[in-house]
Amino acid sequence: MMKSARRSLGSATSTIPGARLVSILAIATILLAPQVRAQVTSPAITRSSVIEVLAGDSPELILAKAADVIPGPEQLAWQRGELIGFIHFGMNTFTDREWGTGTESPSLFNPAALDARQWMRAFKSAGFNEVVLVVKHHDGFVLYPSRYTAHSVKSSPWLGGKGDVMRAVTDAAKEFGLKVGFYLSPADLYEKQPGRTFGNHSASVRTQIPTLVGGDDRHPTQFLTYDLDDYNRYFMNQMYELLTEYGPISEVWLDGAPAAGTGQPYAFAAWYDIIHRLQPGAVIFNDNVRWVGNEDGFARETEWSVIPLANDYREQPSGDLTDADLGSRAKLLAPGVHFLAWYPAEADVSIRPGWFWHAAQNDSVKTLCQLMKIYYGSVGRNATLILNVPPDRRGLFTDADVARLREFGDHIARTFGTNLVEPLAGAYSPEPSIFDMRRPVRFNVVMLGENLSFGQRVEAFEVDVWDGSDWKQIAAGTTIGYKRLLQIPDVTAQKVRVRVLKSRGNPSIVNFGLFLEPE
């Protein structure tokens, strides 16, 4: 599984069950190092999710522009969700593969007990807010009855060819209060077969989407028109079905898997356009949210959501973004930067070694410790975590996967259910970055979050405790962004101080918390 070769918003809030956060707008405006105050600002800059870098912009102006890049409402809503469930299910489940060939018979797909409500219940128990179904993987088998191919569930024995996994997921997700997204693989090895559309070198022609077919019962009031070759026409007609027939879509996953050397062009601009037109509240993986750069679920220690780009990601993919450093000052000021974009990271990982279910991996479900390490390394580093749980051949999550999800959710709730600062909010000293809890409290997790309506600005910070005679540093970090979680050895203190050492413009931290994680 490979990844990748606009708008107003409010302040960030937590979605952790039971968590209560202290609002400390501009918490660090007093304890700023001199170089923080020296940043250039320009009243001519309009805050936006994408800001153009013009020829002749000074380094100071470029940094000021970077400070004013903010998320669009769909990006902010997506990041506030924090935890997304991924569901890899399909032909590979029944062939014991990770990548199919496209030559598999639909007769192989026959889950005897598929229960999407069980999937949603399990994700809900872990505090997840969204699910993304792999509705077509690279083998090309489609999990809903598309009008444009017979290589789908309608040609399988499952439910007599009347089944629809996407429908089952959307109905169950609605019942459990979860948002829904879908993964539609651009690569398609079934359509690569001789006489089909993928890589057939057909010419692009003016095309109406949807392209109505025989027996079509739809009566669109508006058609969208694009120049498309055969495969892109096929792909976008499927996109139209998914975007118009299953209710609100929160995310569209466009995996960056290669086109198998066929030279098949991808009509990215048209794909992005139809999604934005039909589901304007959806984010698009590899468009306005990006792959974190690995499949281990870990973001960088310094994870910027403000990324310098050579081209506008709203029109074409931004290229490889897997470097260790994506958003430092050196990157912002490098030659060839034409846009500064809010481009947050999504960290993907599977609860098992593989993305699809394999009987041999039933004893390899990640432990709670492993999942919590991933949680701190993703959500705790300004990224969104998308965790894959694959149904087995029955169409069910195994008992081990379900139990681990519940354990994961329970541990997060126990850890973050009580903010040790909040009950005494307002009791800190007149210096707004010092918190006096009035009594000693024991904690081992520190949480900070920036006010994203002002962008992501903090470049370095420290957290100190008062030991009775002096301040002692207990934690330090670089970026904060939406959320930063710092694990530390247990410490007991009455006063805690936050210092911003370096920032692009005046920092604005709105969330601060101290928590005690159980053993």
Side-chain angles (χ1 to χ4, degrees):
M1 178 173 173
M2 299 182 66
K3 305 306 173 300
S4 69
R6 312 175 207 198
R7 315 127 152 144
S8 61
L9 66 148
S11 60
T13 58
S14 172
T15 59
I16 295 173
R20 293 182 297 174
L21 302 181
V22 133
S23 179
I24 47 171
L25 186 63
I27 179 178
T29 55
I30 289 181
L31 289 180
L32 296 182
Q35 66 266 33
V36 175
R37 294 195 185 99
Q39 298 307 308
V40 171
T41 59
S42 171
I45 300 173
T46 300
R47 289 183 182 138
S48 175
S49 59
V50 179
I51 297 179
E52 189 173 1
V53 175
L54 303 176
D57 281 355
S58 67
E60 292 79 13
L61 182 55
I62 292 173
L63 293 177
K65 286 183 173 182
D68 281 336
V69 176
I70 61 173
E74 74 281 14
Q75 293 170 313
L76 183 64
W78 168 84
Q79 189 144 29
R80 281 176 171 168
E82 298 189 1
L83 295 172
I84 301 171
F86 220 176
I87 304 171
H88 278 66
F89 184 60
M91 194 58 70
N92 292 337
T93 308
F94 295 88
T95 61
D96 205 26
R97 292 173 174 157
E98 284 291 298
W99 277 54
T101 65
T103 62
E104 298 88 352
S105 169
S107 64
L108 296 173
F109 184 85
N110 193 18
L114 189 148
D115 185 357
R117 296 183 72 254
Q118 186 232 21
W119 306 349
M120 300 306 113
R121 187 184 301 111
F123 280 126
K124 189 70 174 182
S125 75
F128 283 61
N129 295 281
E130 176 186 330
V131 293
V132 172
L133 173 68
V134 176
V135 77
K136 183 187 79 167
H137 203 247
H138 314 321
D139 55 81
F141 183 76
V142 182
L143 294 187
Y144 75 98
S146 174
R147 298 167 180 82
Y148 300 94
T149 183
H151 195 61
S152 74
V153 289
K154 68 184 180 184
S155 298
S156 78
W158 177 56
L159 298 181
K162 302 298 183 182
D164 185 338
V165 182
M166 183 67 177
R167 179 69 61 199
V169 166
T170 53
D171 288 349
K174 182 178 181 180
E175 177 183 347
F176 286 91
L178 298 172
K179 297 178 180 179
V180 175
F182 64 84
Y183 168 126
L184 189 69
S185 171
D188 191 318
L189 295 175
Y190 176 77
E191 286 297 314
K192 186 189 173 187
Q193 302 303 311
R196 304 196 187 279
T197 64
F198 192 93
N200 69 357
H201 306 292
S202 57
S204 292
V205 297
R206 204 70 174 159
T207 302
Q208 287 187 337
I209 302 294
T211 308
L212 300 182
V213 296
D216 208 318
D217 57 355
R218 293 173 294 177
H219 303 281
T221 57
Q222 179 184 10
F223 289 88
L224 303 175
T225 304
Y226 304 95
D227 291 329
L228 303 171
D229 65 12
D230 291 346
Y231 179 71
N232 281 288
R233 182 182 308 109
Y234 170 78
F235 189 80
M236 289 192 67
N237 273 305
Q238 289 190 328
M239 189 93 72
Y240 185 92
E241 291 175 318
L242 292 165
L243 293 171
T244 59
E245 298 178 18
Y246 293 93
I249 298 297
S250 59
E251 181 168 357
V252 177
W253 240 79
L254 298 174
D255 198 311
T262 64
Q264 169 62 50
Y266 289 162
F268 289 107
W271 298 353
Y272 300 162
D273 182 76
I274 197 171
I275 297 168
H276 289 308
R277 285 177 182 270
L278 299 178
Q279 293 283 349
V283 298
I284 308 171
F285 183 83
N286 275 338
D287 176 33
N288 55 6
V289 303
R290 62 180 168 84
W291 183 39
V292 76
N294 62 71
E295 295 185 345
D296 303 319
F298 290 96
R300 299 160 181 79
E301 286 281 354
T302 299
E303 192 66 73
W304 285 102
S305 293
V306 180
I307 306 297
L309 300 173
N311 58 271
D312 189 340
Y313 68 28
R314 295 169 297 187
E315 299 177 359
Q316 58 180 309
S318 54
D320 182 34
L321 291 173
T322 58
D323 288 349
D325 175 14
L326 293 181
S328 68
R329 294 190 180 204
K331 291 289 186 178
L332 295 176
L333 301 176
V337 173
H338 299 296
F339 295 91
L340 303 173
W342 191 272
Y343 206 0
E346 185 168 36
D348 60 326
V349 67
S350 183
I351 201 168
R352 291 161 170 254
W355 292 97
F356 288 87
W357 175 84
H358 306 284
Q361 296 178 359
N362 281 343
D363 294 328
S364 301
V365 177
K366 286 182 170 59
T367 66
L368 175 61
C369 288
Q370 288 174 310
L371 289 180
M372 286 306 301
K373 184 176 181 181
I374 290 169
Y375 178 82
Y376 283 108
S378 55
V379 174
R381 292 182 184 170
N382 187 42
T384 294
L385 173 62
I386 182 166
L387 176 67
N388 178 66
V389 182
D392 62 18
R393 289 176 185 166
R394 299 171 299 169
L396 298 173
F397 289 169
T398 68
D399 292 344
D401 295 293
V402 170
R404 186 69 75 245
L405 282 174
R406 184 181 303 112
E407 188 180 24
F408 181 46
D410 288 347
H411 189 81
I412 291 174
R414 286 197 304 270
T415 300
F416 297 100
T418 301
N419 187 339
L420 299 172
V421 176
E422 200 279 337
L424 294 173
Y428 46 83
S429 75
E431 192 169 52
S433 58
I434 297 178
F435 295 86
D436 188 341
M437 274 71 72
R438 294 183 180 174
R439 59 180 175 79
V441 299
R442 184 164 67 98
F443 60 94
N444 52 24
V445 179
V446 178
M447 182 200 68
L448 301 100
E450 290 185 71
N451 183 355
L452 301 187
S453 61
F454 291 96
Q456 184 185 9
R457 298 183 172 190
V458 176
E459 296 173 292
F461 68 94
E462 291 182 356
V463 181
D464 311 319
V465 296
W466 182 254
D467 66 5
S469 59
D470 201 359
W471 290 104
K472 176 184 177 182
Q473 180 185 321
I474 57 168
T478 53
T479 47
I480 296 176
Y482 167 74
K483 179 172 287 186
R484 189 66 186 260
L485 298 173
L486 300 170
Q487 291 177 286
I488 59 173
D490 282 17
V491 61
T492 300
Q494 179 174 322
K495 294 182 181 180
V496 179
R497 180 177 75 174
V498 177
R499 292 183 295 143
V500 174
L501 305 180
K502 190 175 183 181
S503 179
R504 301 168 182 177
N506 290 330
S508 181
I509 300 175
V510 290
N511 291 329
F512 179 73
L514 303 175
F515 304 92
L516 182 63
E517 181 176 17
E519 288 286 339

